Amino acid sequence: MPSHRTHDEGNSAIADLLRALASVEAAPPLRAKYLEAAVAIAALGRPIAALLRPDGSLEPVAGVSPAAARVVVEIVTTGSSPTVERALARSRPPARSGRAPAARDTFLDDAAVAAMLADPTLAGPSLADYRGDLQMHSTYSDGSQPLEAIVATALARGYEFAAVTDHGYGLPVAHGVSMARLDEQHREIDGLNAAHAGRFRLIKGIEANIRPDGTIDMTPPELRRLEIVVAAPHGALQSQADQTARFVAAVRAPGVHILGHPRGRKRGVRAGVRVDWDRVFEAAARTAVAIEIDGDPRRQDIDHVLARRALDAGCLFALDSDAHATDEWAFADIAVAHARLAGIPCERIINCWPLDVLLEWAAGLRA
Ligand SMILES: [Zn+2]
């Protein structure tokens, strides 16, 4: 996915808004402060979003006054700035459109991902800490990769394990795999694992669907046949209704290990569900269900902003590519970049655990 955008795209958008704010600010000292902050942020060598503290304040940046920092925090956390919008609305005629960078600001492009992976000041996981991918799709459902290709690609990336998580039978639109086909897949996995014993381990997984009422579309006996269950929403994603109860129910459902692409957002398509995430994270922390950072560049779900709140709630995390093809495995790097921005320590990331620890945790949550 080649990109010609620079890593400071978000910074430029924020600097533009601060310049717009300066242009309608009547008081010269304040106007100068906003302009100075715009220059400082545009010249910053990393996304200013990375400087957001867990308590919602901004780390000090030279040239960014407290008033400017307040605007930055508004934009970074919500995608828009009521302060700027109010100031522009008051001015006649409006100096600029004043459109905020919106939610896309939390999407990282290739250059931003590379910068986050290389930034030694970030406390989160490195690629070397990452032992295996826990969401991917094979030719058994809607993926293009046979199981042998999954093993070969995992070995080439230096992984110790990978979970095959094809869609379950409840999602025929994604060629969900029947329980009979799943038995065939498990026999094939057993053969591959025997061939790579001590070196690499395929994990028997599934991506089950979370129904709109929060129940999982597979039975507990079916889920017990799997080692890792990713539960993810694939419907009612455009609804404007509050769906907190749906997601709290999903992380409390027996047999669920990972809450997959929780928001259901898709870049340029939909913003995702309306949920009180702090309540879902609190429930997930209690049940030890991992919150996924899905690295698909169109998803990036959850992003680093929400991930910090999940971290504060005490959650575990899964960082996954959601690869449907062998050339999509690098999507995991995008998830790692978000985890670094959020400062998630390795002990909270199940992909960074030794295989035996991972399997022990998984067995403890089995339906
Ligand atoms: Zn999915």
Side-chain angles (χ1 to χ4, degrees):
M1 45 165 210
S3 171
H4 301 290
R5 284 163 292 153
T6 59
H7 71 274
D8 63 357
E9 184 189 29
N11 288 358
S12 308
I14 292 170
D16 282 347
L17 278 182
L18 285 167
R19 278 189 213 98
L21 186 58
S23 71
V24 298
E25 176 52 55
L30 202 47
R31 188 160 65 228
K33 290 274 186 213
Y34 288 138
L35 287 173
E36 187 188 355
V39 170
I41 290 167
L44 206 61
R46 55 199 283 211
I48 195 159
L51 303 180
L52 193 69
R53 292 166 165 149
D55 68 359
S57 68
L58 197 69
E59 279 177 42
V61 179
V64 179
S65 67
R70 211 172 307 128
V71 172
V72 171
V73 168
E74 286 176 352
I75 298 167
V76 167
T77 55
T78 71
S80 66
S81 168
T83 304
V84 174
E85 279 156 22
R86 272 196 304 272
L88 293 176
R90 275 197 305 269
S91 72
R92 297 229 184 274
R96 294 179 60 113
S97 80
R99 186 181 300 165
R104 74 182 178 88
D105 209 41
T106 64
F107 287 96
L108 303 177
D109 62 23
D110 288 355
V113 169
M116 294 309 109
L117 294 177
D119 187 338
T121 67
L122 294 176
S126 70
L127 292 185
D129 297 320
Y130 188 85
R131 297 172 187 247
D133 203 329
L134 297 171
Q135 195 199 152
M136 68 177 52
H137 300 262
S138 78
T139 48
Y140 280 84
S141 67
D142 59 347
S144 66
Q145 30 183 13
L147 297 187
E148 297 94 334
I150 287 178
V151 174
T153 309
L155 288 172
R157 287 180 70 85
Y159 291 175
E160 296 165 34
F161 52 80
V164 182
T165 58
D166 282 301
H167 292 285
Y169 62 83
L171 213 59
V173 66
H175 306 284
V177 58
S178 69
M179 293 310 292
R181 277 285 281 161
L182 208 55
D183 283 339
E184 286 174 44
Q185 183 184 67
H186 289 180
R187 279 196 294 276
E188 195 182 338
I189 288 176
D190 288 340
L192 287 163
N193 282 341
H196 295 90
R199 197 160 151 244
F200 178 78
R201 171 77 148 71
L202 271 185
I203 296 172
K204 296 167 183 168
I206 198 85
E207 182 180 5
N209 187 35
I210 302 171
R211 297 192 188 101
D213 67 358
T215 56
I216 307 302
D217 70 347
M218 292 174 70
T219 66
E222 288 166 351
L223 295 179
R224 268 197 292 279
R225 287 156 68 179
L226 295 146
E227 294 177 298
I228 290 259
V229 174
V230 180
H234 298 90
L237 300 176
Q238 309 267 20
S239 165
Q240 286 305 295
D242 179 274
Q243 300 197 47
T244 306
R246 178 191 189 187
F247 286 84
V248 168
V251 299
R252 286 180 180 160
V256 170
H257 295 92
I258 297 173
L259 178 61
H261 52 72
R263 296 167 71 171
R265 74 173 183 176
K266 219 158 201 186
R267 192 173 196 166
V269 178
R270 55 177 188 255
V273 291
R274 272 193 52 215
V275 163
D276 178 348
W277 288 111
D278 295 319
R279 283 185 46 209
V280 175
F281 296 155
E282 191 190 308
R286 287 224 174 112
T287 55
V289 165
I291 302 296
E292 186 181 64
I293 300 181
D294 185 311
D296 182 318
R298 294 153 297 182
R299 293 188 181 275
Q300 306 195 29
D301 181 6
I302 58 175
D303 61 28
H304 58 91
V305 176
L306 263 189
R308 274 178 197 239
R309 281 160 60 186
L311 180 64
D312 289 345
C315 289
L316 297 174
F317 294 85
L319 314 183
D320 301 329
S321 68
D322 198 356
H324 287 62
T326 51
D327 64 359
E328 293 179 350
W329 285 54
F331 292 175
D333 301 1
I334 300 176
V336 171
H338 278 278
R340 288 175 65 79
L341 268 172
I344 304 170
C346 290
E347 57 265 28
R348 293 275 202 97
I349 301 169
I350 63 174
N351 315 70
C352 300
W353 292 352
L355 176 64
D356 56 341
V357 175
L358 175 70
L359 293 177
E360 198 176 309
W361 163 81
L365 294 187
R366 203 151 297 148

